[in-house]
Amino acid sequence: MNELASFVALRGARGVVVFDGHEADRELGPLSVRFVPHADDLLERLAAEHRLTESVLVVTSDRAVRGTAGQEVRKVGSRAFLAGLAPPQHREREQAGGGSRVGDRLDAETRARLEQLRRGT
């Protein structure tokens, strides 16, 4: 979840992740994590409410949700989104069996500032 919150924060976007369940909702900076009995219903409603006023991207593998999100909404499957979440150089290192993350090479002050941005503080 932290990687997704960082992804959203670094792009200056607002994100909402919706899960089926009954846990407490929470905020991770510009990322809202929501739990509802029927996640697909909320995804469809959020897309419909915001598609004319904001740039909306729906990430789901559910074809029905992608179909009802509307033509104005960009849609991508979950696997494709996850594959694109990591920076290209990081994906290449993972595939090659290497393993250094960009965050491991940042100084403490930069890491602390990025964490503040991610949390919205």
Short mmCIF file of all heavy atoms in Angstrom, two decimals, residues 8 29 38-39 43 60 72 85 105-106:
data_model
loop_
_atom_site.label_atom_id
_atom_site.label_comp_id
_atom_site.label_asym_id
_atom_site.label_seq_id
_atom_site.Cartn_x
_atom_site.Cartn_y
_atom_site.Cartn_z
N VAL A 8 0.97 7.75 -6.07
CA VAL A 8 -0.04 8.81 -6.17
C VAL A 8 0.56 10.15 -5.77
O VAL A 8 0.39 11.15 -6.46
CB VAL A 8 -1.28 8.46 -5.30
CG1 VAL A 8 -2.24 9.62 -5.21
CG2 VAL A 8 -1.98 7.23 -5.84
N GLY A 29 -1.81 9.95 3.07
CA GLY A 29 -1.55 11.13 2.24
C GLY A 29 -2.70 11.31 1.28
O GLY A 29 -3.86 11.32 1.67
N HIS A 38 -19.48 -4.06 -1.13
CA HIS A 38 -19.43 -4.36 -2.57
C HIS A 38 -18.55 -3.32 -3.25
O HIS A 38 -19.04 -2.27 -3.69
CB HIS A 38 -20.83 -4.36 -3.17
CG HIS A 38 -21.74 -5.33 -2.51
ND1 HIS A 38 -21.65 -6.68 -2.70
CD2 HIS A 38 -22.74 -5.14 -1.61
CE1 HIS A 38 -22.56 -7.29 -1.95
NE2 HIS A 38 -23.23 -6.38 -1.28
N ALA A 39 -17.25 -3.61 -3.37
CA ALA A 39 -16.28 -2.67 -3.93
C ALA A 39 -16.64 -2.25 -5.35
O ALA A 39 -16.49 -1.08 -5.71
CB ALA A 39 -14.88 -3.27 -3.89
N LEU A 43 -16.72 1.58 -6.93
CA LEU A 43 -15.86 1.96 -8.05
C LEU A 43 -16.68 2.57 -9.19
O LEU A 43 -16.33 3.60 -9.75
CB LEU A 43 -15.08 0.75 -8.57
CG LEU A 43 -13.92 0.27 -7.72
CD1 LEU A 43 -13.38 -1.04 -8.28
CD2 LEU A 43 -12.83 1.31 -7.66
N THR A 60 -8.91 -2.18 -12.50
CA THR A 60 -9.67 -3.37 -12.09
C THR A 60 -9.53 -4.44 -13.16
O THR A 60 -9.34 -4.14 -14.33
CB THR A 60 -11.16 -3.05 -11.87
OG1 THR A 60 -11.83 -4.24 -11.44
CG2 THR A 60 -11.82 -2.53 -13.12
N GLU A 72 -15.41 8.31 -20.81
CA GLU A 72 -14.50 9.37 -20.39
C GLU A 72 -13.41 8.87 -19.44
O GLU A 72 -12.46 9.58 -19.15
CB GLU A 72 -15.27 10.49 -19.68
CG GLU A 72 -16.41 11.07 -20.48
CD GLU A 72 -17.71 10.30 -20.28
OE1 GLU A 72 -17.72 9.23 -19.64
OE2 GLU A 72 -18.74 10.78 -20.79
N LEU A 85 3.80 0.00 -12.24
CA LEU A 85 3.96 0.76 -11.00
C LEU A 85 5.42 1.01 -10.67
O LEU A 85 5.80 2.09 -10.25
CB LEU A 85 3.27 0.03 -9.85
CG LEU A 85 3.06 0.78 -8.55
CD1 LEU A 85 2.28 2.05 -8.77
CD2 LEU A 85 2.33 -0.10 -7.56
N ARG A 105 19.09 4.25 -2.02
CA ARG A 105 20.22 5.11 -2.39
C ARG A 105 20.00 6.57 -2.00
O ARG A 105 20.85 7.40 -2.25
CB ARG A 105 20.48 5.00 -3.89
CG ARG A 105 20.93 3.60 -4.28
CD ARG A 105 21.35 3.55 -5.72
NE ARG A 105 20.27 3.97 -6.61
CZ ARG A 105 19.66 3.18 -7.48
NH1 ARG A 105 20.01 1.94 -7.58
NH2 ARG A 105 18.70 3.64 -8.24
N LEU A 106 18.85 6.90 -1.41
CA LEU A 106 18.55 8.28 -1.03
C LEU A 106 19.10 8.57 0.36
O LEU A 106 19.12 7.71 1.24
CB LEU A 106 17.04 8.52 -1.02
CG LEU A 106 16.33 8.38 -2.36
CD1 LEU A 106 14.83 8.53 -2.17
CD2 LEU A 106 16.85 9.40 -3.36
#
